[in-house]
Amino acid sequence: MLMGEYNYAIDEKGRLNFPARFREQMGKEFVITRWMDGCLVAFPESEWQAICEKMQTKSMVKTREIQRFLFAMATQVSPDKQGRVLISPSLRAHANLQKDVTIIGVGKRAEIWDTAAWQQKQAAFGSDELEAAMEELDL
């Protein structure tokens, strides 16, 4: 299970250190693509395949937009010896990744955020919203 929050800086070449704990669970290769809320998402190969298979069981008419959204910018990455992955310019632009980056574990996936955007997201999610979301899930 991926969990926790890690802060890094993306370098001028677009390389981002990926947390060692996450790399162990993500495997030698994993997929990074754009995600909701203006961030990026990283899936282990097995989870990415499960998502692809699930979409194949649905009508193409119903899934075409999400397929375009996910697949158009999807990139398979392999961390280098220093644990860095290369984030493409189009993905960096989608998430506005310029320098400070926060990577969070969200169960079976990791999200990659511009640190300021992540802090804004956290500040905007108040206790009333959290309480309502937890109640919706019967937690």
Side-chain angles (χ1 to χ4, degrees):
M1 170 130 345
L2 300 171
M3 56 187 163
E5 176 179 307
Y6 301 87
N7 294 300
Y8 296 101
I10 196 164
D11 71 16
E12 65 281 348
K13 295 180 181 177
R15 296 176 299 191
L16 175 63
N17 196 358
F18 216 76
R21 285 192 170 150
F22 287 10
R23 289 193 312 264
E24 293 169 10
Q25 296 177 56
M26 297 296 279
K28 292 183 181 191
E29 291 185 339
F30 52 93
V31 174
I32 296 177
T33 192
R34 61 185 164 174
W35 197 236
M36 297 171 278
D37 301 319
C39 71
L40 304 180
V41 66
F43 289 108
E45 189 65 37
S46 61
E47 189 65 21
W48 179 251
Q49 289 303 320
I51 289 168
C52 294
E53 289 169 11
K54 189 169 190 171
M55 280 193 282
Q56 289 176 350
T57 67
K58 306 292 182 190
S59 162
M60 189 182 302
V61 172
K62 291 182 179 180
T63 64
R64 70 184 186 276
E65 291 299 328
I66 191 68
Q67 287 182 39
R68 291 173 184 151
F69 181 81
L70 291 176
F71 294 130
M73 290 189 189
T75 307
Q76 193 169 34
V77 298
S78 299
D80 64 14
K81 292 180 182 180
Q82 287 79 36
R84 300 173 300 188
V85 294
L86 182 63
I87 309 293
S88 71
S90 58
L91 287 173
R92 290 195 313 264
H94 171 78
N96 195 30
L97 302 182
Q98 297 178 17
K99 184 169 170 67
D100 296 325
V101 176
T102 300
I103 302 173
I104 62 169
V106 190
K108 294 182 178 182
R109 68 181 188 274
E111 292 181 354
I112 304 166
W113 287 82
D114 168 75
T115 298
W118 172 242
Q119 290 169 347
Q120 277 185 318
K121 184 75 169 167
Q122 290 293 93
F125 197 71
S127 61
D128 290 341
E129 290 87 356
L130 179 59
E131 186 176 315
M134 291 180 81
E135 188 173 329
E136 177 80 19
L137 295 172
D138 293 326
L139 295 177

